[in-house]
Amino acid sequence: MQSYTVKPAKGVRGEIRVPGDKSISHRSIMFGSIANGVTRVSGFLRGEDALSTLAAFRAMGVQVDDDGETLTIHGKGLHGLEEPTDVLDCGNSGTSMRLLTGLLSGQGFFSVLTGDKYLRARPMKRVVGPLAKMGARISGRAGGDKAPLAIQGSKLKGIEYDSPVSSAQVKSAIMLAGLYAEGETVVREPHLSRDHSERMLRHFGVSVETFPGGVRLSGGQELSGRDIVVPGDISSAAFFMVAALIVPGSDLLIRGVGINPTRTGIIDILKGMGANLELVDPREEAGEPVADIRVRHSNLKAMEISGELVPRAIDEFPAICVAASLAEGTTVVSGASELRVKETDRIAAMADNLRRAGVTVEETPDGMRITGAGTLKGCAADSFGDHRIAMSMMVAGLAAKGETSVSDVDCIATSFPGFAELLEEVAKR
Ligand code: S3P
């Protein structure tokens, strides 16, 4: 378990691209595998999480060719997957496990899903519960809440489900099962979560109806293979946006970033905090909006973050915490209890790390209050095995006085291979 030491920077400058969107990369493999015909994917994220999904579909008999740039998926059709001969290992990836649970529920075979120690500790009842209502036969540890999960594929029927959480993983797992179910499946959620499944299913020719508060689809619809261009991941770009905002003398251009409105909470929040951030050349690629993002150093002020902004920025809170710790005033985050069940408890992890850097942080059950410290102290930070905590504290280190070490940064490879090298490239000293 490697640690990494970051030195303060005098500016974050240059022009970069970030790796492909993780959510879209997972879905490209899943939907491409159950489509009829060939799907070509460019810009695929070669991070450990998306590679876990790729390995799972190969283990179910899907041929995926890789020329180093483009993945070519030879779709097997809705009913062409084969029973895997071994356990499917999702590694650290919640998206792989939850979406696969939905998809596998409707297959004509048996499968088992497992993951690393962090994933095996995360709640699965949120998908197992509604899937059981559809007729799925899933068992697992802790009464079916924890992996390993054993799934005996069965006949499913559509349901109407009111999800208590705004979660794209829950919504997508039920939609995937809904493709195999008899009749119509409806999922409602408190606030709209990322809609990549809806967009990609439509791109593959499936009729998906969206209405305020939910989504509806009919079972038995076939998918047709399509080309997919995966945009840069706004969740990865977020670390560089915050780095440029907090280090004086910064001016950074991030090219080709996905700006799907269900993901741009980070832009709205940073702008609300006074960020000098511009979207340049907005365009659309394969059903997803994309733009270049220019960010310059800014004097940030605190803001209140709650409601629909929370799911629209759910993965960006560790980075937002770093911005808040250098903003003037107290930033209040509420309605974000989902952060407690991510790769680690991200409220506790960021509170702990920012306190080490000299910031006043108060935890609440569903959020936190962060009072801007003016400056950060170099410190020994802990990743807690969570890629986004690791990257956030490395970014904090650029604006700190003295050196910041971050423990166990290997986890960054789940979503952002090459992060440290890219950060060093733009951090001027
Ligand atoms: C994801 C959904 C979100 C997000 C995760 C990716 C997806 O999780 O945090 O990184 O691809 O559907 P939840 O559905 O648990 O909010």
Side-chain angles (χ1 to χ4, degrees), residues 301-304 324 327-333 360 362 368-372:
K301 53 186 194 307
M303 80 177 268
E304 292 201 5
E328 194 188 321
T330 300
T331 293
V332 183
V333 178
T360 303
E362 194 189 316
M368 57 217 293
R369 298 165 62 86
I370 302 171
T371 302

Side-chain angles (χ1 to χ4, degrees), residues 22-23 27 95 98-99 126 166-170 194 314-315 338 342 388:
K22 184 153 74 73
S23 294
R27 286 161 175 78
T95 306
R98 296 205 179 106
L99 270 60
R126 51 181 57 204
S166 303
S167 159
Q169 292 178 356
V170 171
R194 63 191 64 189
I314 193 65
D315 290 339
E338 276 295 298
K342 291 295 174 189
R388 300 201 203 280

